[in-house]
């Protein structure tokens, strides 16, 4: 594993970081990491951090894949005469020979670069202390976030917190690392996020919410400590999670749900931290694979689900996707129609998230629906020069997430979460009234209600799989099948190990110290 990481760094770091800020960095390929070439002024350090955020953006779809794709809301049935991607992930069919994600999700490259940044910046003296601390606060938070994904995906993973592989160490044997215990990985994540918050101190966040900030670090701490409290039964961490989330300042729900994601409303008051996409800079290209193929409408698709008229108005390109710049518009991933149906008709999140459409049989009058389908519209981006650009920002943390985590914490403590869940519901139905206001009905019923709100609120935001693993009915995570709720996906008696992902054989082949995730069949020698 470490040998692969070293090769990746040596040949890929220049292209990855230089691609976003090459002119500013004035990179030189010979002995790039030597002190004589770099880490000499504030501009170099700041632009390295810009490069790290660019790389963070490049991982957006991986964050989505790990946090959502196994969550039970993806369709396994092709409904548009195409073919669906990643069915082994979606259908829980992961094995060593079909691991779903390779090379630890690709996260060790960014982690090692963050290790280098932390090592170098902690040693420099030319930066003002406040600026130095802010940059280091960003680095520690970002490293904690990567490791938090690794923990929730694989459990114990190799814990690499030094920049040895970038500092000239070339002995592959010495660079090998076994998987650390989950408790040790969690402890490292907690230490990093606490260090980040300490370094940020009382500094105000920058107005651009596309970079890690004090508020973003506090949100991460709230999420980490909530995970620790509920997954690892460290109940005392509930109080720390609550304190962190209550310390977030300056955010508020927008009155209109759709505007949270609107291209023209970046940095709005609900956003706490988002990955930035912009026309001419970058697109969230995989959104195009959640829509539809215009070629496959074939004059047989209709918007009216009642098909009462039985004539005309067939769909051609209702979302104006036919000129999508360089992106291929097609349906390679699809949410279940049942998810769309789970929304109340009056819930504004329904049509701000999905566009429903129907294939019909035209041989009968009125036309009979044969296929019900949806396209994702939540991150459709903008039209510029008559072309569609999928360049909406992708929220990592926003106010609705803060409120619903506080609702979950309050419920876990035995309190009434109404004050936190009801504002989210009120906004969903605005300007009308919520027809079924939340009522405190006991811990299990409340937990399911909070989970259902999170499901409707955070489609395509990478939350669902982690919510299933963390949230509970009784003493059991929702991920396990239960007569008490319909959300379980795994049989605890036979599939409990599958809450974690397997690693591919190439990892333990390159690093014999690394064991397969417990429970999975492996060809690795004992």
């Amino acid at each position: 594993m470490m040998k692969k990481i070293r090769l990746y760094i040596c040949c890929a770091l220049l292209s990855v970081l230089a691609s976003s800020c090459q002119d500013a960095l004035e990179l030189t390929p010979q002995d790039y990491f030597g002190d004589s070439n770099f880490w000499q002024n504030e501009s170099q350090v700041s632009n390295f951090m810009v490069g790290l955020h660019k790389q963070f953006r490049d991982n957006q779809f991986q964050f989505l894949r790990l946090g959502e794709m196994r969550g039970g809301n993806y369709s396994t049935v092709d409904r548009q005469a195409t073919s669906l991607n990643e069915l082994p992930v979606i259908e829980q069919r992961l094995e060593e020979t079909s691991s779903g994600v390779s090379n630890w999700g690709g996260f060790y490259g960014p982690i090692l670069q963050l290790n280098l940044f932390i090592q170098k910046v902690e040693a420099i003296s030319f930066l003002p202390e406040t600026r130095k601390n802010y940059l280091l606060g960003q680095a520690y938070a970002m490293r904690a976030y990567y490791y938090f994904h690794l923990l929730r995906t694989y459990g114990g993973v190799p814990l690499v917190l030094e920049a040895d592989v970038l500092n000239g160490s070339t002995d592959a044997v010495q660079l090998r690392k076994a998987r650390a215990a989950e408790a040790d990985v969690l402890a490292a994540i907690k230490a990093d996020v606490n260090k980040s918050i300490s370094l940020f101190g009382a500094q105000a966040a920058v107005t651009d919410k596309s970079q890690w900030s004090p508020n973003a670090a506090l949100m991460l701490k709230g999420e980490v400590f909530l995970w620790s409290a509920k997954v690892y039964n460290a109940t005392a961490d509930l109080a720390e999670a609550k304190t962190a989330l209550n310390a977030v300042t300056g955010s508020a729900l927008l009155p209109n749900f759709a505007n949270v994601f609107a291209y023209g409303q970046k940095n709005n008051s609900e956003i706490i931290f988002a990955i930035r996409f912009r026309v001419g800079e970058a697109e969230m290209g995989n959104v195009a694979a959640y829509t539809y193929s215009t070629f496959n409408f074939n004059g047989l698709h209709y918007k009216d689900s009642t098909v009462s008229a039985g004539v005309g108005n067939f769909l051609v390109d209702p979302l104006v996707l036919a000129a999508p710049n360089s992106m291929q518009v097609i349906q390679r991933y699809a949410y279940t129609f049942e998810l769309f149906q789970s929304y109340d008709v009056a819930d504004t999140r329904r049509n701000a998230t999905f566009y429903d459409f129907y294939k019909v049989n035209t041989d009968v009058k009125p036309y009979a629906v044969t296929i019900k389908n949806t396209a994702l519209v939540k991150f459709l981006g903008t039209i510029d020069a008559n072309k569609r650009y999928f360049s909406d920002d992708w929220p990592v943390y926003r106010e609705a997430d803060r409120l619903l985590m506080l609702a979950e914490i309050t419920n876990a403590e035995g309190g009434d979460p109404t004050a936190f869940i009801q504002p989210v519901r009120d906004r969903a139905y605005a300007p009308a009234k919520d027809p079924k206001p939340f009522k405190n009905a006991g811990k299990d019923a409340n937990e399911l209600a909070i989970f259902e709100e999170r499901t409707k609120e955070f489609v395509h935001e990478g939350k669902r799989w982690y919510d299933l693993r963390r949230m509970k009915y009784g003493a059991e995570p929702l991920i396990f099948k239960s007569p008490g709720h319909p959300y379980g996906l795994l049989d605890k008696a036979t599939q409990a190990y599958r809450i974690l992902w397997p690693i591919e054989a190439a990892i333990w082949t390159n690093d014999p110290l690394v064991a397969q995730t417990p429970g999975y069949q492996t060809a690795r020698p004992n």
Side-chain angles (χ1 to χ4, degrees), residues 234-297:
T235 308
D237 283 349
L238 285 174
E240 286 225 46
K242 180 193 288 187
T243 297
L245 294 172
N246 282 328
V248 174
T249 59
S251 58
L253 292 176
L254 288 190
N256 182 291
F257 176 79
N259 288 346
V260 177
F261 317 98
Y263 183 83
Q265 298 201 35
K266 297 180 186 294
N267 289 323
N268 64 69
S269 63
E270 181 157 344
I271 296 298
I272 295 170
F273 173 42
I275 293 177
R276 173 60 42 80
F277 295 93
R278 195 185 296 279
V279 172
E281 180 179 338
E283 292 186 71
M284 202 190 320
N286 282 288
V287 172
Y290 286 77
T291 54
Y292 54 66
S293 167
T294 57
F295 298 105
N296 291 6
F297 276 139

Side-chain angles (χ1 to χ4, degrees), residues 49-50 53 134 138 206 208-213 216 272-274:
M49 178 54 69
V50 171
H53 276 89
Y134 198 95
Q138 291 181 306
V206 294
D208 185 350
K209 298 177 182 180
S210 67
Q211 291 204 13
W212 281 93
S213 67
I272 295 170
F273 173 42

Side-chain angles (χ1 to χ4, degrees), residues 46 83 85 206 244 275 283 301 331 370 386 415 419 427 443 465 515:
S46 296
S83 59
N85 289 350
V206 294
I275 293 177
E283 292 186 71
H301 285 78
Q331 192 167 80
T370 60
N386 296 317
R427 192 266 299 276
K443 186 173 288 188
W465 173 253

